[in-house]
Amino acid sequence: MIKIGTIEKRIKEVEEIDISFVKNGVDMRSDARIEAENYKYERKLKNAASVSQLKKRLKGQYPGFDFNIKEANGTIVKSGHKHLGTVRDTYIDEE
């Protein structure tokens, strides 16, 4: 079993975007444990990929969960059509 926070941290390292796991419409606690592997991808999706494509990738590895994709200020991205590059750009000033 692995902590959700460990997975979220790995996703942030690879995808350069903060996400949170959602179950039944509620954000999962980072210290909750689930029966899963850590994020398996080594390369991030392209900047031209959409938020929907990232969610599809995440749901493929973590079925039964939904995901909130977040901008740097913590705002949840509502549009699945938004490009990941646009979301990643919100993190530039954070560094």
Side-chain angles (χ1 to χ4, degrees):
M1 293 187 75
I2 187 170
K3 287 184 180 180
I4 286 178
T6 302
I7 299 170
E8 291 172 340
K9 182 178 176 184
R10 176 69 183 144
I11 293 168
K12 171 72 184 258
E13 290 170 0
V14 174
E15 299 293 347
E16 300 175 359
I17 294 174
D18 284 324
I19 67 101
S20 61
F21 279 70
V22 177
K23 184 84 169 186
N24 300 323
V26 179
D27 275 1
M28 299 279 299
R29 291 173 45 127
S30 292
D31 62 350
R33 292 180 179 270
I34 60 172
E35 193 69 43
E37 301 280 326
N38 207 344
Y39 193 57
K40 66 182 178 183
Y41 296 96
E42 298 293 325
R43 295 175 53 187
K44 68 182 177 183
L45 285 169
K46 295 181 178 183
N47 282 336
S50 68
V51 167
S52 292
Q53 288 172 298
L54 176 57
K55 285 186 173 187
K56 183 178 178 181
R57 177 185 263 199
L58 294 170
K59 288 178 183 183
Q61 185 170 353
Y62 305 106
F65 292 96
D66 198 0
F67 300 89
N68 286 329
I69 311 301
K70 301 177 182 179
E71 294 183 345
N73 65 3
T75 302
I76 296 169
V77 179
K78 299 291 184 189
S79 172
H81 300 292
K82 188 176 252 187
H83 289 144
L84 294 178
T86 304
V87 178
R88 289 181 181 124
D89 285 349
T90 67
Y91 290 85
I92 291 173
D93 292 335
E94 297 290 313
E95 297 170 358

